[in-house]
């Protein structure tokens, strides 16, 4: 008794104590639950004189014991346990509900353990149906029965039972029809009555849930589910239409029953999703039933702010699920001789057009219209996937008018909220609407696939209408939303528009330049700027429209929508780099002016530097030097001031990072050789791929190539960058940003970086020896890969390689018990070594280092929970083994570490790695089997160790796995399959897979 009182006090303390106390108490209560004594005290905790918290703890303790510790119950105690369970259910038959629900789950768990007895489900069911449970009312007993039956299939997924899963699955299938007949009969009897009592609702809800959980079991054809479908539809119909509702809102119980019935209908349909062609006639029949019963409800709820919006959502979800599972059957109605199929298709399309055009604004006034987006994608995909045929042409002709109408609906639905309506919106609503607009954009792309150039006609017409609407009330400042939505639609399909000079696009660009943006919300201007950027590629093919595009984007630089303007300029100068030359100087002047003003945000300044680099790449060399002084020098001058002042404050750090990011972005786009080469390519194309011919002796002598501007910048600023690095060496963020800037310079300069190579390498070397950030390893690795074979620079490359290895070895040694702390560093380190092993494996011969340690750490990193370092370690080991065969030093490492590699691989497959990721370990087996087949046979014998890698896998299974892997040297897919199945065996989950 003392023990029960102690537990009772702990439970009350848990519910009523502070968070720290709760943590300790919870841990102790879990230990108590797992103890064998819990089988006894759980009943005492469920006495009526106990508090509801204590009763609930007793009930969940019983749950836990039945789910996880059934092995502790002797066979002779099974009957007694069943009786206790039933008696306790009777005690709590009228509440508390939370305790009764747990007891129902417990009875379901008991039944699962008893499934070896073929009549256990029937016996328990008849006990409730014949009202053999004490003085509980018939209604209560039916409610409890339905709750118990509902939980059985769910509990099978989680319970630890001594019955093999195959037998459990067979028993569920065998009992499924009995359960379904019992439940459907009960639903039908109740719903056939003139009126239902309020106390019947819980039983009906549980019964409807029961249908959903059991429908996946049993070997029943879909057409044999018709009675079940009819009964569930009857439940929805009854709940909605049974009596007029004063406020239009269903009662909570009615709403729950209707929604549960709809969920179960969806479960029925999705259970047969893989048998599309088999049930075409049945699905058409079911869809007709759905349309007959459910569309009138949707029509009644076709209004803003309706009170049963969630019910409408559930109805649409059922239709969409049916279409997903059986699209072919329904889409046959596009063009068909069958009047019935044609009507079902037509009614479905009409219903989903209305869904798309649901009154109100998503998501504050309605939440259904988003469901229809998927349908418009499915329909176009179904038709466009047809092979070339007359039938396909007829289908396209049939659906084009529908899609033209949908486009106009989508434009209207995508209107932004006005300022006067924003008070109804919260942050979640705004984010939901942003995603909704993105979905509309994606759907418009699907519409374009159907309509092609007709899409531009539809949008051009919509543009005319929106401009006309704007002019109806020229004084209004809130009638801009339709125009903005139309421009958004044009923007969404920009990627689909071909280079042809479409007059609709010409008109759009003209309109964008004529709108008096100052009169309206700045979001209209923002969308105009975004759209110009989206049509950059088209403008590149039609360069006469470039001036107006530049003019609008430059205007945007000095507005609140500078972000869209900088994005648009970035795209425009990338796609139209050659064409922008005549406008380069004024455009650079505009960029310089706005950068000097200081009104741009950091991200906008950084992005604008990419545009500056694009433009500088195509102007004269003299102008490049002038504008570099004017636009880039301020960045370095500010950095110089900070270095001279030894200023390492947080505000200064932010400015330093900004300036380095701006320089990095400039380095990524400024390349005069790239544009020159493109020009040569165009000349070559003009003359049929041949070099131009010149008269004898008159071939022009090429002059010295101008120095790349990035190299000029680095030559002038290298000392500053060194000093900056020294000042900020303690700060990873600053050093990382500096390394990324140098990496951008290397990417653009390539061999042209040689005049500064040693200086930059010394700088990187100082970073590797002090604060080895990830990007420092990246740039050092690229230097090594590019210049190791150049004997002039090899000594420096050896220093870089050694520094990387030493720093990472030291870090891994210091964090040996907590390698996860340096997961990013490990990921980069082994990505670097994978490249070295693949492209420059001679490094492992020329440079004397402890490569056994390299492999040892790799095997340790394989077992990390973080995906990145685990995968990169596996990739390194795989590549090292593959490339080792012609390198004696590498062969020695593999031979000395091979058994450990295999052992660690098995530990990962057995449980260390996630099951979803074990297939990657097939690469190791394949690599070793390809290069060292005899050694693999020997190393695989580690599997002969008892209980290795886990106790769940048998010796026979291990032997079979060994044979399969050793035999297969070519097919990666097969070895991945072996590994995946072996991992399931090791984790004792193979029976679940067999059950699928």
């Amino acid at each position: 008794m003392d023990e029960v009182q102690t537990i009772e006090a702990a439970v009350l303390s848990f519910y009523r104590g502070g968070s720290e106390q709760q943590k300790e108490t919870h841990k102790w209560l879990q230990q108590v639950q797992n103890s064998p004594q819990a089988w006894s005290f759980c009943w005492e905790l469920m006495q009526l004189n106990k508090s509801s918290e204590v009763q609930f703890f007793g009930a969940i303790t019983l749950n836990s014991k039945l789910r996880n510790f059934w092995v502790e119950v002797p066979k002779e105690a099974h009957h007694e346990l069943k009786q206790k369970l039933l008696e306790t259910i009777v005690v709590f038959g009228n509440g508390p509900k939370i305790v009764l629900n747990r007891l129902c789950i417990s009875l379901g768990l008991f039944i699962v353990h008893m499934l070896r007895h073929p009549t256990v489900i029937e016996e328990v069911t008849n006990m409730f149906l014949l009202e053999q449970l004490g003085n509980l009312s018939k209604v209560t007993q039916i409610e409890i029965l339905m709750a118990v039956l509902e939980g059985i299939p769910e509990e099978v997924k989680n319970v630890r039972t001594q019955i093999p899963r195959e037998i459990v699955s067979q028993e569920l299938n065998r009992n499924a029809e009995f359960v379904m007949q019992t439940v459907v009969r009960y639903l039908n009897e109740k719903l056939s009555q003139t009126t239902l009592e309020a106390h019947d609702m819980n039983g009906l809800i549980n019964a409807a849930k029961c249908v959903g959980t059991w429908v996946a079991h049993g070997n029943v054809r879909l057409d044999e589910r018709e009675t079940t479908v009819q009964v569930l539809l009857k439940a929805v119909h009854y709940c909605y239409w049974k009596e007029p509702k004063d406020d239009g809102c269903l009662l909570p119980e009615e709403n729950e029953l209707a929604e549960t019935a709809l969920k179960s209908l969806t479960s029925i349909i999705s259970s047969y999703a893989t048998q599309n062609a088999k049930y075409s006639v049945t699905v058409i029949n079911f869809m007709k039933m759905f349309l007959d019963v459910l569309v009138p409800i949707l029509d009644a709820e076709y209004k803003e702010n309706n009170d049963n919006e969630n019910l409408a959502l559930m109805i649409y979800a059922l239709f969409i699920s049916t279409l997903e599972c059986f699209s072919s059957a329904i889409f046959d109605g596009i063009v068909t001789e069958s009047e019935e199929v044609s009507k079902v298709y037509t009614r479905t399309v009409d219903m989903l057009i209305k869904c798309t055009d649901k009154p109100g604004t998503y998501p504050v006034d309605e939440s259904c219209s988003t469901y229809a987006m998927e349908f418009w994608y499915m329909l176009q995909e179904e038709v466009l996937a047809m092979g070339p045929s007359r039938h396909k042409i007829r289908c396209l002709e049939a659906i084009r008018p529908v899609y033209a109408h949908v486009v106009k609906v989508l434009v209207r639905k995508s209107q932004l909220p006005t300022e006067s309506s924003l008070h109804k919106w919260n942050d979640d609503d705004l984010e939901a609407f942003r995603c909704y607009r993105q979905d509309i954009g994606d759907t418009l792309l699907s519409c374009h696939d159907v309509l092609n150039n007709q899409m531009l006609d539809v949008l051009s017409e919509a543009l005319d209408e929106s401009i006309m609407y704007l002019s109806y009330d020229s004084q209004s400042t809130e009638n801009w939303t339709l125009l903005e939505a139309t421009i958004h639609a044009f923007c969404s399909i920009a990627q689909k528009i071909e280079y042809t000079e479409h007059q609709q696009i010409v008109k759009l660009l003209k309109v964008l330049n004529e709108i008096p943006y100052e009169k309206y919300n700045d979001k209209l201007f923002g969308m105009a700027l975004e759209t110009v950027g989206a049509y950059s590629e088209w403008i590149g093919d039609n360069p006469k429209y470039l001036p107006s595009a530049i003019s609008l984007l430059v205007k945007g630089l000095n507005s609140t929508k500078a972000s869209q303007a900088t994005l648009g300029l970035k795209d425009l100068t990338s796609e139209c780099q050659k064409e922008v030359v005549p406008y380069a100087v004024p455009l650079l002047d505009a960029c310089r002016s706005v950068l000097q003003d200081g009104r741009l945000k950091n991200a906008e300044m950084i992005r604008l530097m990419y545009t500056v680099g694009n433009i500088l790449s195509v102007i004269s060399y003299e102008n490049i030097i002038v504008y570099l002084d004017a636009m880039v020098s301020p960045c370095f001058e500010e950095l110089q001031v900070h270095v001279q002042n030894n200023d390492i404050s947080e505000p200064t750090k932010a400015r330093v990072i900004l300036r380095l990011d701006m320089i990095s972005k400039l380095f990524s786009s400024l390349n005069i050789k790239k544009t020159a080469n493109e020009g040569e390519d165009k000349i070559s194309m003009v003359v049929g791929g041949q070099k131009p011919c010149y008269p004898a002796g008159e071939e022009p002598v090429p002059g010295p190539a101008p120095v790349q501007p990035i190299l000029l910048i680095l030559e002038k600023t290298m000392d500053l960058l060194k000093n900056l690095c020294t000042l900020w060496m303690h700060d990873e963020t600053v050093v990382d940003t500096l390394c990324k800037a140098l990496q951008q310079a290397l990417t653009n300069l390539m061999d042209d970086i040689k005049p500064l190579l040693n200086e930059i390498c010394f700088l990187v070397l100082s970073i590797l020896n002090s604060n080895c950030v990830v990007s420092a390893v990246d740039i050092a690795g690229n230097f090594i890969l590019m210049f190791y074979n150049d004997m002039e620079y090899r000594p420096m490359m050896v220093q870089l390689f050694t520094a990387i290895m030493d720093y990472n070895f030291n870090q891994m040694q210091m964090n040996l018990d907590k390698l996860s702390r340096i997961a990013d560093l490990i990921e980069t380190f082994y990505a670097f070594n994978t490249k070295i092993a693949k492209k420059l494996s001679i490094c492992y011969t020329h440079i004397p280092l402890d490569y056994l340690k390299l492999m040892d750490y790799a095997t340790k990193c394989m077992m990390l929970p973080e995906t990145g370092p685990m995968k990169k370690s596996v990739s390194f080991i795989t590549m090292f083994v593959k490339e080792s065969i012609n390198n004696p030093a590498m062969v020695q490492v593999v031979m000395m570490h091979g058994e450990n590699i295999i052992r660690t691989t098995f530990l990962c497959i057995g449980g260390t790695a996630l099951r979803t990721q074990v297939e990657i370990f097939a690469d190791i087996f394949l690599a070793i089997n390809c290069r060292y087949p005899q050694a693999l046979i020997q190393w695989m014998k580690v599997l002969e160790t008892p209980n290795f890698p886990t106790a769940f896998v048998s010796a026979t299974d291990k032997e079979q796995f060994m044979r399969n892997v050793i035999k297969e040297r070519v097919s990666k897919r097969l070895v991945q399959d072996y590994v995946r199945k072996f991992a399931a065996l090791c984790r004792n989950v193979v029976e679940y897979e067999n059950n699928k």
Side-chain angles (χ1 to χ4, degrees), residues 239-339:
C239 291
Y240 191 84
W241 299 108
K242 70 166 190 168
E243 59 186 31
K245 295 165 280 295
D246 295 335
D247 59 357
C249 186
L250 295 180
L251 294 173
E253 295 83 3
E254 295 167 349
N255 190 69
E256 186 178 358
L257 175 55
E259 289 186 5
T260 303
L262 288 165
K263 286 179 184 176
S264 293
L265 283 167
T266 303
S267 297
I268 290 173
I269 294 297
S270 58
S271 295
Y272 296 86
T274 58
Q275 304 173 51
N276 197 322
K278 189 175 178 181
Y279 295 117
S280 298
V281 175
T282 303
V283 169
I284 292 300
N285 182 39
F286 284 5
M287 275 294 286
K288 187 174 180 299
M289 291 160 59
F290 295 164
L291 291 163
D292 289 343
V293 175
L294 302 177
V295 168
I297 297 175
L298 294 175
D299 290 341
E301 297 295 329
Y302 195 69
K303 55 192 175 185
E304 292 185 34
N305 297 314
N306 58 303
D307 296 302
N308 303 302
E309 183 76 0
N310 203 56
L311 180 64
L313 274 175
M314 299 292 297
I315 293 173
Y316 285 124
L318 172 61
F319 279 114
I320 294 298
S321 180
T322 307
L323 287 161
E324 284 177 341
C325 298
F326 298 97
S327 57
S328 299
I330 296 159
F331 291 154
D332 280 346
I334 300 171
V335 177
T336 181
E337 301 297 323
S338 169
E339 185 178 352

Side-chain angles (χ1 to χ4, degrees), residues 813-884:
Q813 183 61 43
M814 287 190 294
N815 295 277
L816 202 53
D817 296 329
K818 41 189 180 297
L819 287 171
S820 290
R821 287 187 180 181
I822 54 170
D824 288 346
L825 190 65
I826 291 170
E827 182 176 355
T828 304
F829 177 62
Y830 278 109
F832 160 74
N833 273 286
T834 303
K835 290 178 184 177
I836 294 296
K838 182 177 182 180
K839 300 178 180 179
L840 208 63
S841 59
I842 56 171
C843 284
Y844 296 134
T845 302
H846 293 170
I847 304 174
L849 285 170
D850 189 350
Y851 296 111
L852 286 172
K853 188 184 291 185
L854 177 66
M855 186 61 72
D856 182 48
Y857 284 138
T859 55
K860 288 180 169 63
C861 294
M862 280 167 59
M863 300 185 72
L864 289 177
E866 291 80 12
T867 302
M870 181 273 286
K871 286 189 173 181
K872 290 296 186 290
S873 301
V874 171
S875 297
F876 162 70
I877 293 171
T878 303
M879 191 56 63
F880 192 94
V881 169
K882 284 181 178 177
E883 299 298 327
S884 66

